[in-house]
Amino acid sequence: MVLIENMEMGQRNWVLVLAMIAGMLGTQRAARAQQGGDPVVASAGEQLMALANRSRAQAGVGRLDWDDQLAAAAREHCLRMAQEGPIAHRYAGEADMSTRAGNAGAHFDVIEENVAVGPSAQEIHEEWMQSPGHRANLLSRDVNRVGIAVVAARGVLYAVADYSHGVQSLNSTQVEDKVAGLVHAGGVTVLADHAQARAACGTDSGIPRGGMQPTFVMRWQDASLSDLPRALAQKLASGQYHQAEVGSCPAQNVDGQFTAYRVAVLLY
């Protein structure tokens, strides 16, 4: 019997939960798993990873890289599933998936999850691939990292696969340096002072008072800092501006533990 429950959560991400109730594996394996030394469990996790990347290669999408932080979050939930028996995406008193992953140290702007219980890694993978939602989850082009956990209990394997699009972890100084490099490449001198730009970053509109008065202010928030916003790039290309100030501040209105960076650039 196959039970499927779909859930949606957070920004740009969706969670799909699969329950495959299957035959028993025997109490001996469960006992070994509780002692922490079951080679079948380790092999099942490796097999799910290999099967996922094989299926992604066949579908023409990029491979998944292993993420230790996602794996830690997956294991936390997998242990809870094994304790509860009936599987679910979230139990009473448990943090949601993005919070669990963020607390484990993962940085992401997309996160998805498949969970299952079944007799073997091969059969769990096959059920995920035969379910349209779970297949889309596993083969998503929007994710590039995975953490997998498997726990043997009650004679079956409980499995959790957390997929994410990984985001680089940067502190405020690194954010400012990265954006300053992009601005400087646009032909504008970047000032060493950050005070006004940081003040502007923390507001939604207006031009900071005091000091030099900028003639253009750009504020934005994103998980990626690989490119400047188009409007800012166009201003830099106009040749009207000769100096800039860059400041960062905490991201605003971010759901869960998603990673995002907020920046302000003042042009003079």
Side-chain angles (χ1 to χ4, degrees), residues 3-260:
L3 304 176
I4 298 176
E5 176 185 354
N6 293 340
M7 304 179 71
E8 182 175 344
M9 150 189 180
Q11 65 183 58
R12 287 209 303 145
N13 67 289
W14 48 318
V15 183
L16 300 153
V17 181
L18 165 69
M20 183 174 65
I21 310 300
M24 305 296 284
L25 294 181
T27 57
Q28 185 176 6
R29 177 179 298 169
R32 290 200 306 268
Q34 292 170 359
Q35 295 172 3
D38 187 356
V40 174
V41 169
S43 176
E46 295 171 359
Q47 189 177 4
L48 284 172
M49 173 79 169
L51 289 168
N53 275 327
R54 186 177 70 182
S55 294
R56 288 175 67 87
Q58 291 170 347
V61 297
R63 66 175 288 106
L64 297 171
D65 293 324
W66 183 262
D67 188 299
D68 286 334
Q69 287 74 36
L70 287 178
R75 179 161 180 78
E76 175 186 349
H77 185 61
C78 198
L79 288 169
R80 182 66 183 271
M81 288 200 313
Q83 176 185 354
E84 296 283 346
I87 69 172
H89 167 66
R90 185 181 183 185
Y91 298 100
E94 185 182 32
D96 63 39
M97 181 185 59
S98 71
T99 300
R100 293 196 305 267
N103 288 344
H107 294 270
F108 49 87
D109 60 353
V110 172
I111 189 162
E112 304 169 350
E113 181 175 86
N114 284 351
V115 307
V117 55
S120 69
Q122 179 70 45
E123 293 187 51
I124 287 172
H125 177 76
E126 289 175 359
E127 288 297 331
W128 281 342
M129 291 297 291
Q130 290 170 11
S131 165
H134 298 84
R135 178 186 177 91
N137 210 20
L138 193 152
L139 300 181
S140 172
R141 294 180 182 272
D142 293 332
V143 299
N144 58 10
R145 297 183 183 178
V146 67
I148 298 172
V150 178
V151 172
R154 296 181 171 85
V156 291
L157 295 179
Y158 290 81
V160 177
D162 285 346
Y163 314 94
S164 80
H165 179 262
V167 174
Q168 188 176 13
S169 175
L170 302 173
N171 61 36
S172 60
T173 299
Q174 291 170 327
V175 169
E176 291 170 348
D177 288 345
K178 189 173 183 66
V179 174
L182 295 173
V183 171
H184 181 70
V188 174
T189 300
V190 180
L191 302 175
D193 190 11
H194 301 278
Q196 285 201 105
R198 288 172 180 169
C201 183
T203 63
D204 293 327
S205 61
I207 297 176
R209 296 181 179 180
M212 293 193 304
Q213 288 300 290
T215 55
F216 178 80
V217 178
M218 169 64 74
R219 302 171 179 84
W220 77 97
Q221 184 167 301
D222 203 341
S224 172
L225 298 175
S226 58
D227 298 294
L228 296 174
R230 179 177 296 181
L232 177 56
Q234 290 174 341
K235 290 292 185 180
L236 294 174
S238 71
Q240 301 176 43
Y241 306 95
H242 304 288
Q243 293 181 315
E245 186 177 329
V246 178
S248 71
C249 60
Q252 300 178 5
N253 302 318
V254 178
D255 294 331
Q257 293 284 338
F258 292 93
T259 297

